[in-house]
Amino acid sequence: MTQELVSLTIIMAVAAVSPIVAQLIPGRFIPQTVLLLAAGTALGPYGLGIIEVNDAVKLLNELGMAFLFLLAGYEIDPKRLAGHQGKVGLLTWGITLGLAWLVVTFLPFFTKQGINGVATVIALTTTALGTLMPILKERNLEGTPIGDAIISYGTWGELGPILAMAILLSTRTGWQTMLVLGAFLAICLLCAMLPTKALKTGHRLYRFLTENANTSSQTLMRLTTFLLIFLVTISALFELDAVLGAFAAGFILRYIIPDGSKSLEMKLEGVGYGFLIPVFFVVSGAAINVRAVAGRPALLVAFIVMLMLIRAVPVYVALSLDKRENPLSSHHRVTVALYCTTALPIIVAVTSLAVKVGTMQSDTASTLVAAGAITVFLMPLLGSITYQVADIHPVTAVREIAHTPSDWRTIVREHAQVRALLHHQDRLKRMAETLKSLEKQEGLNGLDSRRAELVERARLEIDRQLKELGLDPQLTTQLPHNYRYPKN
C-alpha cells in the first residue's frame, strides 16, 4: 500500500503543479494536458521509474478515463446529432473511416510496419472531444462559431470510433456482437427512461433527490457516479470497452437533463478535472516507451501526417461545401479542421485493446500513443496560429510589399495594428471619431491618412466576422460583447 500511495502522491503533485507551469509559459500555448503527459513519460516506468503503475493506480486510471468520456458524452446535445450539422458530421466521419481503411490496407508503409489492421484504421478517425473541451474553455472558444463547429464534427469523431471499436474489434461472431450491443442498448434506454418518467410525473423520489442534491447527501452526484460505474461494469461484463459505457453514461445524463445543471456540472468537473482525469493523462504518459518511440521516428511522423490528411482534410472540405449552414472563413475552417485532428484517449483505448488480443506490438502501441499525445499539443497550436496569422491578412501584405518593397516595415506594422484594433473595438471607435472630426476641421495629414486606412481595414474585417456570425453589417457595426477571440 505504501508504494501505491507514493505513486499517487507524485501523480497528484504533477497535477497540482501543471496549471501553474502552464500559466507561467509565455503565451500559454502549451495545454495542461501536454504537461501531464510529458511528466508521466518522464517519471513513469520507461523514464525515471518514480511512478509505479500498480493495480490501485490502474483502477484510478480507468476511472479517470471513464470521467473524461462521461463529460465528453455530457457535452453532446442530442438535437445537434439529429440536426443538419450532426448529419454532415456523421457523413464526414464515414468518409474518414473509408479513407483510413484504404490508406492502411493499400499503402505499403503500414503493411511493412505491421499495423494494417482495424485498430489502426479506427485510430486514424478519432477526435479527442473530451480532451478538447478544457482546451476550448481555456482559449475562450466555447460558445463561438468555431467552438460549435469543433463540437459538432468532433462528436462523431469520438462517438464513431467508440461504436467501431465495439463492432469491428469484437472477438465474437457478427450476430453475437449485435445481440450483446442490443442488450447493452436496452439497458441504456432503461437507465434513460426511468429518471425521465420520474421527472415528468414529479415522483416523490425525484423530489427527494433534487431537494437533497446540494446537501451532505449529494444525491444527484451519487446517482450520476453510480450510473457511470454501473454502465462501465456492464461494459466489462459484456466484454465491451469501458469507453462505451462511460460515453453512454454522459449521453444519458444529457438526455435526462437536456438544459444542464450548473451545480452538478461543477461537481463533476471538480471530481474529474480535479482528481481522476489528471491521473488518466499522467498514467497515459507513463505508458509511452520513449526508447521504442525513438526507434521508430518514421512511424511517429507518418501517423501524425496521416491523421491530418485523413481527418483534417475531410472536415475542411465538409465545412467548405456547407457554407450556408457554416459561414466560416477559410482560416476558421482550417482552425476547426486542425482542432478536430486532436486525438489521444481513443488511441490509448484502441491500442490497449489491440495489444491485449495480440494484433499489435506494445512498442507500436507506444509510438501511436506518443503520436496522439503530440497532436494534443500540435493541433491546437497550429489552429491558433492559422487564426492569428490570418487576421493580419498576409496575402494582402505580400501584395503591398511587392508593389512597394521599400515600405515593407511600415506595411507589416500596419497589418499588425489592424489585428490589434480588432481586439479593442472601443479604441477603434474612438480613433474613427477623432479622424472624422479632423476631416471636418482641417483635413487629414499623411499620418492621419494612414490611420484612416487602418480604421477602414479594421471595419472591413469586422464586417466579415459579423457575416460569419450570421449578422447584417448594415444593422450592427460592432461585434457582440460575448464574441470571444481565441487565445494563443
Side-chain angles (χ1 to χ4, degrees), residues 412-438:
V412 171
R413 184 171 62 253
E414 287 178 350
H415 278 262
Q417 287 173 346
V418 169
R419 179 180 174 275
L421 287 173
L422 292 175
H423 287 252
H424 301 282
Q425 292 187 81
D426 292 337
R427 180 182 163 202
L428 172 63
K429 187 177 180 181
R430 289 195 303 270
M431 186 181 290
E433 290 173 351
T434 301
L435 291 170
K436 189 179 293 185
S437 63
L438 287 172

Side-chain angles (χ1 to χ4, degrees), residues 49-122:
I50 299 175
I51 296 175
E52 181 180 316
V53 185
N54 43 52
D55 290 341
V57 173
K58 285 180 181 177
L59 177 60
L60 291 175
N61 173 58
E62 290 290 323
L63 290 175
M65 184 171 65
F67 256 86
L68 181 67
F69 282 97
L70 168 77
L71 292 171
Y74 180 74
E75 292 290 343
I76 296 174
D77 184 355
K79 295 179 182 177
R80 192 192 297 270
L81 286 179
H84 172 80
Q85 202 170 47
K87 293 175 182 177
V88 174
L90 173 59
L91 177 62
T92 304
W93 182 80
I95 293 171
T96 301
L97 182 66
L99 288 174
W101 180 80
L102 289 173
V103 168
V104 171
T105 303
F106 296 105
L107 197 67
F109 175 80
F110 286 96
T111 304
K112 291 178 181 178
Q113 297 290 332
I115 54 170
N116 56 341
V118 176
T120 308
V121 172
I122 295 173

Side-chain angles (χ1 to χ4, degrees), residues 29-47:
F29 65 93
I30 299 181
Q32 298 178 33
T33 303
V34 174
L35 298 177
L36 294 171
L37 290 164
T41 303
L43 302 177
Y46 300 106

Side-chain angles (χ1 to χ4, degrees), residues 288-354:
I288 297 175
N289 186 340
V290 180
R291 291 186 179 86
V293 175
R296 309 185 73 174
L299 176 59
L300 180 72
V301 174
F303 191 79
I304 295 174
V305 172
M306 285 297 107
L307 271 172
M308 296 182 71
L309 293 175
I310 291 171
R311 185 66 183 142
V313 172
V315 170
Y316 179 84
V317 172
L319 285 167
S320 300
L321 296 176
D322 193 32
K323 281 185 178 179
R324 184 178 60 83
E325 293 291 334
N326 303 288
L328 297 177
S329 63
S330 59
H331 68 275
H332 281 176
R333 296 197 295 272
V334 171
T335 300
V336 173
L338 288 169
Y339 272 97
C340 286
T341 314
T342 304
L344 179 66
I346 293 291
I347 294 179
V348 173
V350 74
T351 54
S352 298
L353 187 58

Side-chain angles (χ1 to χ4, degrees), residues 7 19 38 42 71 118 150 154 198 232 242 266 272 307 352 368 380 387 390 452 466 488:
S7 295
L71 292 171
V118 176
I150 292 170
V232 168
M266 287 181 64
L307 271 172
S352 298
L368 299 190
Y387 191 96
L466 286 169
N488 285 325

Side-chain angles (χ1 to χ4, degrees), residues 5-21:
L5 288 173
V6 169
S7 295
L8 184 58
T9 300
I10 296 170
I11 291 172
M12 293 316 299
V14 169
V17 171
S18 291
I20 300 173
V21 175

Side-chain angles (χ1 to χ4, degrees), residues 180-250:
V180 168
L181 287 175
F184 180 79
L185 177 61
I187 293 172
C188 290
L189 290 174
L190 187 63
C191 291
M193 298 307 296
L194 287 178
T196 305
K197 187 175 181 180
L199 171 61
K200 290 180 178 179
T201 59
H203 194 276
R204 283 186 300 172
L205 177 60
Y206 174 77
R207 292 198 301 273
F208 170 79
L209 294 175
T210 53
E211 288 169 1
N212 290 274
N214 295 314
T215 66
S216 59
S217 299
Q218 294 293 322
T219 47
L220 288 181
M221 183 63 187
R222 293 186 188 185
L223 274 178
T224 301
T225 307
F226 165 73
L227 174 67
L228 172 64
I229 295 177
F230 172 70
L231 289 180
V232 168
T233 303
I234 293 296
S235 298
L237 292 174
F238 285 179
E239 296 182 1
L240 299 169
D241 197 272
V243 168
L244 180 62
F247 199 83

